[in-house]
Every structure is written in C-alpha cells, then in structure tokens.
Amino acid sequence: MKAALYYRVSTPGQATEDKYSLRSQKEELTKYAASQGWTVVGEFQDVGSGGKLEKKGLNQLLDFVEKGNCEVVLCIEQDRLSRLDSLGWEFLKSTLRENQVKIAEPGFITDLDNEDDEFISDLKNLIARREKKKIVLKMMRGKRQRTREGKGWGKTFWEYNYDKATGTYTINENWSWVIPFIDKLYTEKKYSYTTIAQELNKISRTPTGKEWNSALVGIRLKSKAFHGVLEKNFKNEGAISADVPVYPPLRTIETYEKICKIRKEKFKRKKVVFHHFLRKVYFKCDECQRKLSIVHSKNSYATEGYFYLAHGRHIDCKVSINSIRFDQNITKAIKEILKSENMAKKYVKIDHTQKDLEDMKKQVKAERNNLKKFSEKKDLLLPLYLDGKFSKEQLDKQYTMLETQEEHHKKQVRSLEEKLHLIKSKMFNYDLITSYLSVAERFESLLTVEEQTEMISTLFPKGIVYEKEILLEGFLSEDVPIEIAIPIDPDPFNVKNKWERDPISKYNKIQEYMNEHPHLTQKQIAEALDIGPSSIVRLRNRFGEYKNYTKVINHDPKGKAEILKEYYLKNPDASLRKTARDTGIPSTTIRRIKRDYGL
Ligand SMILES: [Zn+2]
C-alpha cells in the first residue's frame, strides 16, 4: 500500500519539547509503515493548531490525495488530522473518501467508505490503546536523549528563566534568594521543611501567589538543579543526568552534599520499621468490603507495640484486630493440616457432598449467566453511542468497566469449573493440599520474618477477614483455589475495645488513675494505662479538664507556649531540666517552642 505520512504539532515549542515532537512522529510512523510493508510516497507536516483547515502541509496532503498518489494517510493519532470544526472535518473526510484513501494510526485503520467504521474505530481505539502506550514509551526516549544532551524540558524552577530560543537557563534575580535562604535554615539552624516554609511565608508568597509548603521546600533541597546538574527521573530506569552543567549554580556542591547528609540522618532516625509476616497479603474486610492491612501501633511504650489488621485512617469501618489473636493460629493451622487428614478438616474443606457439588454447579451456571449479561451489555454500547445517547468519553469508560467485570467473571467460571472437575475426579484431596503446604512445614523455626513474608504471600495472596475467622486464599493450580480458615481468638484486650465504644469510661478511668497518682506525667499515665498520650488530650477536649491533676496536659504547641510563658514569668531563671520536670513538657519540645515562639 502507498502511504502518505502526516505529522503535526500544535505549538512551535512542541516541535522540540513535547513527546510528540515532529522528529519522533516521523521516526515512529516510518518504522510503523515499514513494519506493515507500506511504501512511503509522501510526507507532510504542520506546526499549528489542529482546528484550522488552512494549513500548508494539510493542503499539500489533500492535493496529493486528489492526484491519487496514495491509498492511506498515516498519522500518529487521528487528532493530528481531525481537530477541525465539523465543516472542515467533513471536507477533509469527503476528499479522502472520494479518493478511497483510508486514515491509519499505528494499530488500526479507518475506512471512511464504511459509515460505521469511524465509530467502530473508536472502539478499536480502546483495544489499541495498549499499543499506543508502547509508542508513547518509545517517544520518551526522545526525552531521555534531550536530558543526556543537557537540553532542558518540562517545568522550570522559579529560580531560573528558560530561554526557548537558545535552550539555556539563566538565574531569575527575583527569586534566586530562595535557595541560599532555605540552605542556611536547613544546614545551620536545622529547621524542618515545614518551619522553613513558614519562614518563607513571612517574606513572600510563591510567584504564583500561593503559600510555601514543605513539599516545595523539600523539592528545592533535594534537586541537583541548583548546583547546575540537569537530572530527570524516568520510570523503570531511574535518574538520567546530563553530561554537562546546565543551570547556573545557586548553591555549591559542598552545600548540596551537606544537605544530603542531614537528610539521610533524619531519614535514618525515623526509619525504625517493624515487619509482620502477613504484610504482603491482600486482606479484605467482610464488614465493609474494603481493604484491611497490617498496621503497626506503638500504643504500648513497654514493648515494640502491636500489629493490627485494620483500615487506613479516615475510614469509618471500625474493624481492627490485634494480630496476637491469630498469628499463632496460622502456624498452628499449617502444622496441624500437615499432621493428619482429620486435623486438616478443621481448617480446609476436603470432603464434598453431593449437595456441595450441586451448589457449585449452580454457581457455575450463575457465573455463566453473569458473563453473558456483560457481553450483551457490551454489544449494546455501540448502537447506544451511535444514537447519541452518550458521549465518547462515557462510552470508553463504560466499555472499560464492562471489560474488567467480564474478565472477573470469566476467571470465576474457569476456577469453579476446574475445581468441580478436580473434585469429581477425586484429585482435590488431602495429598494435593499437603503437597501445596509442605514448603511451609518448618515455617517459624527456619525462616526470617522477611522469608516468612515472602512465603506466606506466595501461598496465600489474599484473605478475607470475618468477625471470628480469617479465610486465607491460595491457589493449588493456576485456577483452583484453596481456602484455609484461621480462627481469630477472643479479644484479650476486651477493655480496650470497651473503651473504644465508650470513651467516657476511658476518661473516667484516666481521672481515677490521676487521683491516685497526681504526680505522674501525662506520658507515664499513658504508659500505665496502655493508651496513647494524645488520647488523654482528646478526651480532655471532649469531656473537660481533669480534676486534681497538677501536671500539665499536653496541648497544641500554642497552648504549650502559653503554659511556658506563664511558667517563666514565675520562674525566670529555671533551667531547662527543671522546666521540663515542673511542666511535664519534654525538654526537646521546650527548646522547639522557645525557638518557634521566641520565648
Ligand atoms: Zn471494614
């Protein structure tokens, strides 16, 4: 087939900077035409909006088409040709149609002779999207190349100006002060990102009129741009940097290294992570059907804390289960299943009655029906769209949604059918289960937590959490699920749960404890009662001041500042340690507040 190639970028800048630069369009399309065995007989290009028909390249292309020189016009995306008003579009289409020229994009062809083809091409577009993604990825190579060559692209920091004509950066004198300013606060005064942002806000808002925040400060401290280096991060590939200096430096490399060192230390200090062997299993809450995950809580100051199966913050579902209620039961279950068939029956359903089989058959039938429904719905979409019942965007969305659901039901049917088959042929038996679990035999004794985590998440990628048991789901073969029911022990911290439900009794309990120990600090009380110190504050805010308690309850920093101010009025010469002892505020906090509030 004889192909004419058409490239367009909407702005001159795009011609060099965008992922759809003229050069990369040309490269991709030439390659694609070759892969299809097409002969390239002409190439046309435009720089400018796709909304106007009066374009030099496009006009040349139409002349070319009218002379019967080509059979297909190949462009990277139809919108390269077609962001025209309807009149212009009709004209373009009719010219192509009259000359029996098709429009092609990598992945599919639209035959304009066929009225529905254009619409169908929209549907095909959905399927071809994956292919397009690949092309975009390839085009990213252009960006990598630019980066290596030291040519900038993307957003420019406010501290620099970018000269499009020369492709070089100069210092923006209006904003260049920001870098030495934050460098000083960070390296000398050891301020946090947030405090630095506050200091910046005292001077000025950002060039866009917004407030400075910790993220903006962080980016500036992390970026290599300010000592001259152009470095960009690429997905899957990591950082690529230019071989030559690109930005006029606003900080020295020594300062940058100093910043890195401080950041590393801060990061290290924070990063004390406790791992739980179930952390890679995907848990679902039966109560609300949302995700549950293993979280670590340091409620108790005496130990490393506890792990909970719980929802993320801000989720109203209150399901939260301390892992000591099931941890041991998992190892116990695996051991017992491996010990004997009789014991295994406690956890896994091995024997299937005639009724079970009937039920499964019914399930298969129901799933098949579901599947049919989705396919029918999918077939209905196109006519509805053609009738103008909804937009292209809605069509895409609906189509993708239906496809996902269809895929899900297909999988269900497959897995049920295979399990049914296995049961019928008596293969789903104790031996199969033990061979699956045998790798876990010496689970706790031989493996590190890391190894346990890997193994359990491989054996059981999913779990459903019910009130009294956890159903761990694995796959005996590609499609045959196995479910092991792990019992959840009754809550040994029943008190805690009662407290959750009844905050006033928690408040009273704290008050009671304070009456007995009026000289303990808030932190000590929290430790003794195994609650978080902040709960003491929260309950106070809700139910009122605690009585007969002489120590200070931690407030917000502002409140603490007030307390310290008052305390220093009475004890102007008190040492840091004495202040801490008297007020119950930790000395590090005092130091911070003194600095932040200028006491
Ligand atoms: Zn839930």
Side-chain angles (χ1 to χ4, degrees), residues 15-162:
T16 53
E17 279 185 71
D18 192 68
K19 63 185 176 196
Y20 288 122
S21 76
L22 288 175
R23 207 182 68 197
S24 49
Q25 289 186 38
K26 182 186 163 91
E27 262 174 33
E28 284 310 323
L29 294 182
T30 310
K31 249 186 268 163
Y32 184 75
S35 77
Q36 300 298 305
W38 299 345
T39 320
V40 177
V41 289
E43 292 176 51
F44 305 89
Q45 66 176 55
D46 279 311
V47 174
S49 150
K52 292 187 208 103
L53 193 57
E54 270 317 307
K55 280 195 299 278
K56 203 174 140 208
L58 192 58
N59 276 330
Q60 286 171 345
L61 171 69
L62 290 178
D63 288 346
F64 193 73
V65 165
E66 282 184 325
K67 282 181 197 147
N69 286 338
C70 67
E71 295 151 283
V72 61
V73 171
L74 178 61
C75 48
I76 205 76
E77 254 183 345
Q78 201 169 285
D79 75 349
R80 294 296 116 178
L81 281 172
S82 71
R83 262 192 229 139
L84 299 162
D85 58 43
S86 54
L87 206 68
W89 175 227
E90 282 310 318
F91 174 72
L92 173 69
K93 272 199 299 190
S94 66
T95 310
L96 294 175
R97 195 181 294 130
E98 274 163 24
N99 294 283
Q100 272 139 35
V101 172
K102 299 177 175 79
I103 299 177
E105 302 170 25
F108 65 92
I109 296 185
T110 307
D111 186 353
L112 292 164
D113 243 351
N114 181 338
E115 263 184 19
D116 287 344
D117 216 347
E118 185 200 336
F119 294 107
I120 289 166
S121 80
D122 282 334
L123 283 180
K124 283 187 188 159
N125 189 9
L126 282 166
I127 300 151
R129 216 177 259 164
R130 222 170 282 146
E131 189 140 340
K132 263 195 214 156
K133 234 185 221 165
K134 272 189 228 154
I135 291 167
V136 171
L137 273 178
K138 272 192 228 155
M139 286 177 169
M140 287 299 286
R141 266 186 231 139
K143 286 195 170 178
R144 289 181 199 115
Q145 195 49 36
R146 282 191 67 79
T147 308
R148 275 186 212 106
E149 288 166 7
K151 293 175 195 155
W153 54 270
K155 248 170 114 183
T156 307
F157 282 110
W158 295 317
E159 289 81 350
Y160 293 111
N161 298 313
Y162 179 65

Side-chain angles (χ1 to χ4, degrees), residues 305-324:
Y306 299 107
F307 289 100
Y308 290 87
L309 248 184
H311 288 292
R313 291 200 296 168
H314 313 303
I315 286 190
D316 48 0
C317 177
K318 287 291 167 240
V319 168
S320 168
I321 301 161
N322 192 314
S323 78
I324 63 168

Side-chain angles (χ1 to χ4, degrees), residues 284-292 311 315-319:
K284 203 170 89 180
C285 173
D286 178 60
E287 186 92 15
C288 69
Q289 298 297 311
R290 280 178 295 201
K291 189 183 172 209
L292 282 169
H311 288 292
I315 286 190
D316 48 0
C317 177
K318 287 291 167 240
V319 168

